[in-house]
Amino acid sequence: MTKTVTIPVKFPSSISSLWEEIGRLAVSESDWALFDPAQRHFLENASNSRFRNRFYHQFSIPKKSGGERTITAPTGYLKGVQKALSLLLSSIYKAPDCVNGFTIGHNVRTNADVHIGKNYIFNVDLKDFFPSITAQAVRKVLVSKGVSDEVAHYISIVCTITTNGDDLPKDVLAQGSPASPILSNMVCEKMDRNLEYLARKYGLTYSRYADDMTFSSMHSVYSKNGTFLKDLREVISRYGFTINEQKTRLQKRGSRQEVTGIIVSDKTNVCRKYIKNLRAEIFQMAMFGFSKRQYRSVRGKVAFVGMVRGKDDELYRKLRNRICSIRTLPQGLIEGCH
């Protein structure tokens, strides 16, 4: 989630003033105290793709749907610069109400809330979301927000990674960069406005959480050869994105309707399998001990239940009390356990 920052009187108009602002935010807001004489060398050379790519590392995490997702995360100076730029960019961008990912006061719960009780819920996933957003698209949207060409060019390069494209290497947003969320929302702003208009035209409700788009309604306009899907594909392709057809699905009332991992059939809820697995994990921790990492992970899962079902929910209170109580058990914390 993007932090709030004090809105500057004027967005930095030169590279030197941008460097000063990056330094101020990196230290005061990002808790990044790595600035030393070497940072000037980094900032001056960060536009060189070979130099910049040395500050990324790749790793994989499992997907809920199976398979693995490759994360390309920045390190060191580059991570601090991107975190600072993310904070700085939040002063010139306010997300539309339909956008719930990476915005203050919005989350998966608010993304799901607007689709409760609908007869039809249509989920659309965008393929290769961050890598579909180029440095050129970033530069263009920054200039449209009043950022100078020089500063917009520098930000677009520092916040992207050079990959081997279909024909030539290209600079795209990295999945793992702290600046990618807000930049992706900024680039998608016009598309979101168009999709809001499209939803109103067909009497639908629209929301987006990162690459996950949802349309819902009391009536059906989702036939494969219908005009809505034709118009939807046209808007999405116009902005350089592609629908992941394998993840597109229509959910009808009477079946389990889900939006960004939250059940919305009659009220927001988590699925039974999630609760069953969570209880089993807490039981295993109580019996055999746990690591700090596992404890934080399970506390996060319990907090998710509270966010979805409400902090006064009885099930949430029981899970919260249970996870808090096992911290003091004799078998306790097992350091080094994974």
Side-chain angles (χ1 to χ4, degrees), residues 97-117:
D97 290 338
C98 62
V99 176
N100 292 279
F102 322 122
T103 61
I104 297 170
H106 294 259
N107 49 44
V108 290
R109 167 70 186 269
T110 59
N111 188 63
D113 278 342
V114 296
H115 303 290
I116 295 173

Side-chain angles (χ1 to χ4, degrees), residues 174-241:
Q175 182 149 338
S177 164
S180 290
I182 189 168
L183 286 172
S184 66
N185 279 344
M186 293 176 75
V187 169
C188 289
E189 185 172 10
K190 286 189 177 180
M191 180 180 72
D192 287 322
R193 299 296 187 192
N194 276 267
L195 291 175
E196 280 186 311
Y197 172 79
L198 184 66
R200 288 195 299 271
K201 175 182 175 182
Y202 286 92
L204 316 177
T205 299
Y206 164 68
S207 72
R208 180 176 66 83
Y209 190 97
D211 59 353
D212 196 331
M213 298 175 166
T214 304
F215 296 86
S216 64
S217 59
M218 302 304 291
H219 59 287
S220 178
V221 296
Y222 310 103
S223 60
K224 291 184 178 181
N225 298 320
T227 57
F228 168 70
L229 287 188
K230 180 181 178 180
D231 291 344
L232 176 62
R233 288 190 171 90
E234 191 279 325
V235 172
I236 290 174
S237 63
R238 187 194 314 164
Y239 291 95
F241 295 103

Side-chain angles (χ1 to χ4, degrees), residues 51-282:
F51 176 84
R52 190 174 67 256
N53 282 6
R54 298 201 317 243
F55 289 83
Y56 284 99
H57 74 284
Q58 284 191 343
F59 57 94
S60 298
I61 59 174
K63 293 182 178 180
K64 289 184 179 180
S65 56
E68 293 186 333
R69 186 188 306 278
T70 300
I71 303 297
T72 306
T75 61
Y77 287 122
L78 183 59
K79 182 178 181 180
V81 168
Q82 291 180 354
K83 287 174 71 175
L85 285 172
S86 176
L87 293 169
L88 182 60
L89 290 168
S90 68
S91 69
I92 61 171
Y93 170 73
K94 183 181 184 302
D97 290 338
C98 62
V99 176
N100 292 279
F102 322 122
T103 61
I104 297 170
H106 294 259
N107 49 44
V108 290
R109 167 70 186 269
T110 59
N111 188 63
D113 278 342
V114 296
H115 303 290
I116 295 173
K118 299 296 181 67
N119 287 340
Y120 299 91
I121 293 179
F122 185 62
N123 299 110
V124 178
D125 185 86
L126 298 180
K127 186 177 181 181
D128 299 325
F129 182 58
F130 288 132
S132 296
I133 299 175
T134 64
Q136 182 180 5
V138 170
R139 188 161 54 249
K140 183 178 179 181
V141 74
L142 290 176
V143 171
S144 73
K145 295 289 185 182
V147 179
S148 70
D149 289 337
E150 180 188 31
V151 171
H153 174 75
Y154 185 83
I155 293 174
S156 69
I157 295 301
V158 170
C159 293
T160 56
I161 184 171
T162 302
T163 63
N164 293 320
D166 296 331
D167 300 313
L168 295 171
K170 59 181 179 179
D171 297 315
V172 298
L173 292 183
Q175 182 149 338
S177 164
S180 290
I182 189 168
L183 286 172
S184 66
N185 279 344
M186 293 176 75
V187 169
C188 289
E189 185 172 10
K190 286 189 177 180
M191 180 180 72
D192 287 322
R193 299 296 187 192
N194 276 267
L195 291 175
E196 280 186 311
Y197 172 79
L198 184 66
R200 288 195 299 271
K201 175 182 175 182
Y202 286 92
L204 316 177
T205 299
Y206 164 68
S207 72
R208 180 176 66 83
Y209 190 97
D211 59 353
D212 196 331
M213 298 175 166
T214 304
F215 296 86
S216 64
S217 59
M218 302 304 291
H219 59 287
S220 178
V221 296
Y222 310 103
S223 60
K224 291 184 178 181
N225 298 320
T227 57
F228 168 70
L229 287 188
K230 180 181 178 180
D231 291 344
L232 176 62
R233 288 190 171 90
E234 191 279 325
V235 172
I236 290 174
S237 63
R238 187 194 314 164
Y239 291 95
F241 295 103
T242 304
I243 293 177
N244 187 339
E245 300 292 348
Q246 294 181 339
K247 292 187 177 181
T248 298
R249 58 176 178 162
L250 177 64
Q251 304 170 84
K252 301 177 182 179
R253 180 180 282 277
S255 62
R256 191 180 75 182
Q257 296 173 311
E258 192 173 315
V259 176
T260 48
I262 296 177
I263 297 173
V264 294
S265 300
D266 296 304
K267 63 179 182 179
T268 54
N269 203 350
V270 292
C271 67
R272 293 180 181 178
K273 185 177 180 181
Y274 185 94
I275 298 297
K276 180 181 178 181
N277 291 342
L278 180 55
R279 281 173 165 160
E281 191 169 4
I282 294 175

